[in-house]
Amino acid sequence: MKKVTIEMACSINGLIATEDGNEDFLSYRGWEIMLEFLKEYDVLIWGRKTWDNILSWGDNYLNDLKNVNIVILSKTSNPQKEFSNVTYCNSIEECLKVCENMNYEKLFISGGATVNNAFLEKGIVDSIILNYNPFILNKGIPLFKGNYFENKLKLEKVVKEKDDIVQIHYSVV
């Protein structure tokens, strides 16, 4: 059975980026936290917009990911750069098939809002980890965006992180 986790950094009111996709308000510690978690997972799954943001951040961030298996969900699947550890998929179904074929048992989803929503809609997410940054945005991109769904969560753990980040672990009931 697969383990599927969504992990995201956000403002205290649950926004992951400004309306134009800017994430500058998020602490660098969030990146470090994600890299620590990735040691326990087989693959990192991102949407194309999230991947485009990472590409724009420069080689230091890409070097952090050189040993990480990555799947990018993109309706266009038009890679700007080729990376041996990156696979492009057009749909959640194709992504899950690729993960199955590659024997990825532990899936780590980290954005964006549409990708998070799509995996929750499928009913296959086991846990959600949110890293609340000490920042408020009154407009922006929410944690989940797409078709309506409801999920009950169970609080598993709360961690006070560096940089005043509060990390909350939930299991999906």
Side-chain angles (χ1 to χ4, degrees), residues 14-151:
L15 298 177
I16 60 174
T18 62
E19 288 180 310
D20 64 357
N22 185 305
E23 301 172 337
D24 288 348
F25 67 93
L26 297 173
S27 167
Y28 179 75
R29 178 66 187 136
W31 179 258
E32 295 171 331
I33 290 168
M34 182 195 72
L35 293 174
E36 289 168 15
F37 276 121
L38 284 172
K39 294 174 186 173
E40 303 170 29
Y41 288 82
D42 298 323
V43 63
L44 167 62
I45 300 170
W46 274 328
R48 183 197 46 81
K49 290 177 189 172
T50 302
W51 179 235
D52 287 348
N53 277 346
I54 303 302
L55 290 173
S56 74
W57 296 349
D59 288 342
N60 287 341
Y61 288 90
L62 295 174
N63 286 337
D64 288 343
L65 300 170
K66 67 182 176 216
N67 295 318
V68 176
N69 300 312
I70 301 172
V71 172
I72 304 300
L73 282 164
S74 172
K75 290 190 180 6
T76 58
S77 285
N78 202 3
Q80 294 177 347
K81 289 183 177 181
E82 292 292 331
F83 296 91
S84 61
N85 61 325
V86 177
T87 303
Y88 285 79
C89 294
N90 293 81
S91 67
I92 297 289
E93 292 75 22
E94 182 183 358
C95 172
L96 293 173
K97 192 70 167 164
V98 164
C99 289
E100 182 181 324
N101 290 342
M102 302 289 268
N103 294 317
Y104 298 152
E105 294 293 320
K106 295 179 181 178
L107 286 55
F108 192 82
I109 296 128
S110 192
T114 305
V115 171
N116 295 342
N117 209 87
F119 275 91
L120 275 165
E121 274 184 73
K122 283 265 181 222
I124 59 173
V125 175
D126 302 299
S127 60
I128 298 173
I129 302 166
L130 300 176
N131 295 296
Y132 287 100
N133 285 249
F135 200 88
I136 298 172
L137 293 175
N138 73 340
K139 290 184 181 179
I141 299 170
L143 284 162
F144 306 101
K145 184 178 179 182
N147 294 329
Y148 178 81
F149 69 88
E150 291 182 8
N151 277 111

Side-chain angles (χ1 to χ4, degrees), residues 151-164:
N151 277 111
K152 185 168 174 58
L153 305 176
K154 179 180 182 227
L155 181 64
E156 298 292 341
K157 178 168 67 169
V158 177
V159 178
K160 183 184 183 309
E161 270 287 345
K162 295 177 190 170
D163 296 344
D164 295 325

